[in-house]
Amino acid sequence: MTDTNNPIDIAREALKQLTLRKLSPTPANYQACYNEVAKLPNVAGFPEAQLRQIAMALRVNYPALTQHLERFETAIGNRSWLAVQETLLVLASTANGTSAAKAQPDNKASELTTELLARIRRLIEDLLPALGSEDEWLFGQARTLLQTLQGPAVDIQALLGLLTGFSQRASLAAEEQVEIKELLLKLLHLIIENIGELTLDQQCIQGQIDSLVRAVAPPLSLRRLDDAERRLQEVIDRQHDAKTRTLEAQEAMRQMLSAFIDQLTAMNHSSTDFQNNLEQSASEISEVHTLEDLTPLLQRVIDATRAMAQDTASARDQLEELQEKVLTTDAELAKLHEELHHASASARHDPLTDALNRRGLAEALAREIASMQRKDSPLCVSLLDVDNFKKINDRLGHATGDEALVHLVNVVRHYMRPIDTLARYGGEEFVILMPDTRQEEGIETMKRLQRELTKNFFLTGNERILITFSAGVTQLTSDESGEEAIRRADQAMYLAKRTGKNRVLGG
């Protein structure tokens, strides 16, 4: 009799039953005979391969259920029916919820559609002023679109047709506005290039005209146009001042010349009268026979001579006064020209790099701080200093050093944003104002500029020179002045120099 507690006896008996029943020796048949002999329920083997295929299919169809699928695969690996059952129930519940969410109409769809249509309406309303007011068809189409968008039930197909026609016409209008902008820009260049012809001394103002031409070079931005407006106003103010003072000087010279001519005329009359008196006295002397008759003639000659002397002395004094006025006016005109030259040199921009100078920086700082306080937005200030600049000057000369600074400014301008402001603070130090920028972002911006400088070598002759800089970056506080922020940035820059150069530190 088989011992059902001994696995070896059970296995032997199971094999015997396979032979007696003439069953194929498959794992399933053997398992059935073994369970029968051992008096165990006949349960099929664990289907690991099939369950793993199911797990793979679930991963494809439900990628969002990754965490539950990993637990399912772990249960398969442990060959635990209980764990497989539990994870399958969780998967079924989660998958049903996901499918139901996908199948169920989105309750927010109508709200999103309404919001989308409202934004399209606002977009059209904001776009129209930029397209000009000449195209009546475009404005009529816009009104039709706005009425359609405001309706209670929007026909999407009709809306798409209207939008297609509007967008095509708006594209043409936009192209026309671009052409108008280019023509206006050309006209502005023509005015700037010819404005020097309106001044008496073009040299006084040529530097500002050149910088103004550069200021209106594309690409344009509102800040650059604001800067160009300020420069143009400076040029116009100086021209107006020069013209007014020159006309005043010309009028003074005209009055002095008129007075001089009047004096010459008076001298001529006096001389003629004196000449006539002498001639008359000479003719009368020939008829005098007594000393008594000669006395009144001599007295008349003496009186005429004295009057002539007085007139001559008065004319001499007046001419000396006129000469003094001429010299004074000439000195005033020379001073005016000197002031114009000084004004050109002390404008808002550095003559070498065309970056803002100290005066321009002060104005820009005041403007940006006011904007920061009005919009409650961050403002970053960076102060950078070229590394080893003295060595460049000593080895290659100051002219090459100047070219290196121009190269630095050109690279910085190319990669900085249009809303940023660049100013030459002094020597090889520059300040960059970065509105709407926090300190961490400002530090990353300066590091990016450093990387760009390493890609753009400065070329002098056949030599390539790597220009680097150290910088300090600070973010203004609400109660801080621009000078205080620059001072903190300068301290951070100095620390960057001390710690190895070509670094950017926050302050």
Side-chain angles (χ1 to χ4, degrees):
M1 186 173 180
T2 303
D3 185 359
T4 57
N5 294 324
N6 188 342
I8 296 176
D9 290 343
I10 295 172
R12 187 182 298 112
E13 184 62 27
L15 290 173
K16 185 187 294 185
Q17 292 297 324
L18 281 175
T19 304
L20 293 174
R21 298 176 186 181
K22 297 181 181 182
L23 299 173
S24 299
T26 61
N29 289 335
Y30 174 75
Q31 181 71 41
C33 293
Y34 185 93
N35 290 338
E36 182 181 346
V37 173
K39 298 179 180 179
L40 295 172
N42 187 20
V43 181
F46 190 83
E48 181 175 355
Q50 292 83 352
L51 288 174
R52 290 199 180 276
Q53 290 179 353
I54 293 173
M56 187 178 299
L58 289 172
R59 276 191 177 276
V60 174
N61 293 321
Y62 300 98
L65 305 179
T66 303
Q67 184 176 2
H68 298 300
L69 289 170
E70 288 177 353
R71 293 177 182 172
F72 180 53
E73 291 173 351
T74 301
I76 295 172
N78 294 333
R79 304 176 69 84
S80 172
W81 273 113
L82 181 60
V84 167
Q85 182 180 2
E86 291 176 352
T87 52
L88 279 174
L89 289 173
V90 174
L91 278 169
S93 175
T94 308
N96 286 336
T98 304
S99 300
K102 290 181 179 179
Q104 182 182 0
D106 191 355
N107 294 330
K108 294 185 178 180
S110 59
E111 297 179 6
L112 292 175
T113 301
T114 303
E115 178 65 21
L116 176 61
L117 294 177
R119 293 194 180 188
I120 293 175
R121 187 171 64 249
R122 287 196 296 270
L123 175 63
I124 295 173
E125 291 172 345
D126 294 339
L127 181 63
L128 286 177
L131 298 178
S133 58
E134 294 79 12
D135 195 333
E136 294 182 1
W137 185 94
L138 182 65
F139 273 77
Q141 189 79 346
R143 284 193 293 269
T144 303
L145 259 174
L146 292 174
Q147 291 172 359
T148 303
L149 289 167
Q150 290 173 349
V154 178
D155 186 344
I156 299 299
Q157 293 299 326
L159 178 62
L160 288 175
L162 290 172
L163 281 173
T164 300
F166 176 79
S167 63
Q168 291 174 350
R169 195 64 169 255
S171 176
L172 295 176
E175 291 177 1
E176 183 179 356
Q177 291 299 316
V178 170
E179 293 178 3
I180 292 174
K181 172 186 170 184
E182 292 176 351
L183 289 175
L184 287 175
L185 191 58
K186 290 180 181 179
L187 179 61
L188 179 59
H189 274 275
L190 184 62
I191 293 173
I192 294 171
E193 290 170 359
N194 287 275
I195 200 172
E197 300 297 329
L198 303 177
T199 184
L200 298 176
D201 189 355
Q202 187 176 0
Q203 183 180 2
C204 298
I205 210 163
Q206 188 60 48
Q208 289 157 304
I209 293 176
D210 292 340
S211 63
L212 188 55
V213 170
R214 290 191 294 271
V216 296
L220 294 177
S221 66
L222 289 176
R223 289 177 182 271
R224 292 191 66 184
L225 287 175
D226 177 67
D227 184 44
E229 180 187 7
R230 291 172 179 268
R231 296 194 195 198
L232 185 58
Q233 189 61 51
E234 288 178 358
V235 171
I236 293 172
D237 291 343
R238 290 196 178 94
Q239 278 191 306
H240 180 268
D241 184 54
K243 179 181 178 181
T244 302
R245 295 173 67 177
T246 301
L247 289 176
E248 291 174 354
Q250 289 176 349
E251 178 63 20
M253 292 290 288
R254 188 190 65 78
Q255 292 178 359
M256 285 187 288
L257 181 60
S258 177
F260 179 69
I261 292 174
D262 291 342
Q263 186 63 41
L264 286 179
T265 302
M267 288 178 65
N268 183 53
H269 288 317
S270 176
S271 177
T272 301
D273 292 342
F274 181 69
Q275 181 75 22
N276 292 333
N277 281 331
L278 287 181
E279 290 178 357
Q280 183 178 359
S281 298
S283 62
E284 291 178 357
I285 286 175
S286 62
E287 298 178 359
V288 172
H289 300 287
T290 63
L291 187 60
E292 289 79 4
D293 295 334
L294 184 61
T295 300
L297 288 176
L298 289 176
Q299 186 62 44
R300 189 166 65 186
V301 169
I302 292 171
D303 292 342
T305 302
R306 183 180 295 112
M308 180 65 185
Q310 291 176 349
D311 289 343
T312 302
S314 176
R316 184 185 66 246
D317 293 340
Q318 290 182 12
L319 288 175
E320 288 178 352
E321 183 180 354
L322 285 174
Q323 183 180 18
E324 184 178 351
K325 288 183 177 180
V326 169
L327 293 175
T328 301
T329 302
D330 184 65
E332 289 180 353
L333 288 174
K335 182 180 179 181
L336 172 61
H337 285 190
E338 182 181 355
E339 289 176 355
L340 287 174
H341 280 292
H342 177 72
S344 179
S346 62
R348 298 170 64 251
H349 291 78
D350 173 53
L352 173 65
T353 63
D354 197 40
L356 291 178
N357 58 15
R358 286 285 190 101
R359 174 187 170 190
L361 174 61
E363 295 176 0
L365 258 177
R367 184 172 62 250
E368 295 297 349
I369 290 176
S371 176
M372 176 192 75
Q373 294 172 344
R374 184 175 62 256
K375 298 188 299 184
D376 192 23
S377 58
L379 173 63
C380 257
V381 176
S382 175
L383 190 144
L384 66 88
D385 183 271
V386 179
D387 295 326
N388 305 315
F389 185 70
K390 185 176 184 302
K391 293 182 179 179
I392 296 178
N393 275 338
D394 293 343
R395 187 170 68 87
L396 300 173
H398 289 277
T400 303
D402 289 346
E403 293 174 2
L405 292 180
V406 173
H407 170 78
L408 168 70
V409 168
N410 290 337
V411 172
V412 172
R413 273 208 181 105
H414 183 74
Y415 291 102
M416 66 189 284
R417 301 173 302 174
I419 64 173
D420 297 335
T421 301
L422 175 65
R424 188 177 182 185
Y425 195 63
E428 64 272 22
E429 290 184 335
F430 294 86
V431 169
I432 300 179
L433 306 181
M434 294 175 280
D436 301 326
T437 304
R438 302 194 179 278
Q439 186 177 46
E440 298 78 12
E441 300 168 339
I443 292 174
E444 288 303 316
T445 297
M446 299 307 296
K447 289 181 178 179
R448 185 169 65 254
L449 286 178
Q450 286 181 327
R451 291 193 295 269
E452 296 301 335
L453 269 177
T454 61
K455 301 175 186 176
N456 295 272
F457 285 91
F458 169 58
L459 299 178
T460 173
N462 295 325
E463 185 177 357
R464 297 200 311 173
I465 299 176
L466 174 62
I467 297 178
T468 64
F469 64 80
S470 301
V473 180
T474 185
Q475 180 178 335
L476 272 81
T477 61
S478 58
D479 58 347
E480 187 177 30
S481 67
E483 292 76 10
E484 292 170 339
I486 291 177
R487 191 179 305 113
R488 287 199 291 121
D490 181 60
Q491 293 172 352
M493 182 273 294
Y494 179 73
L495 184 59
K497 288 273 190 187
R498 293 288 302 272
T499 56
K501 300 182 180 179
N502 196 25
R503 295 173 182 269
V504 179
L505 295 179

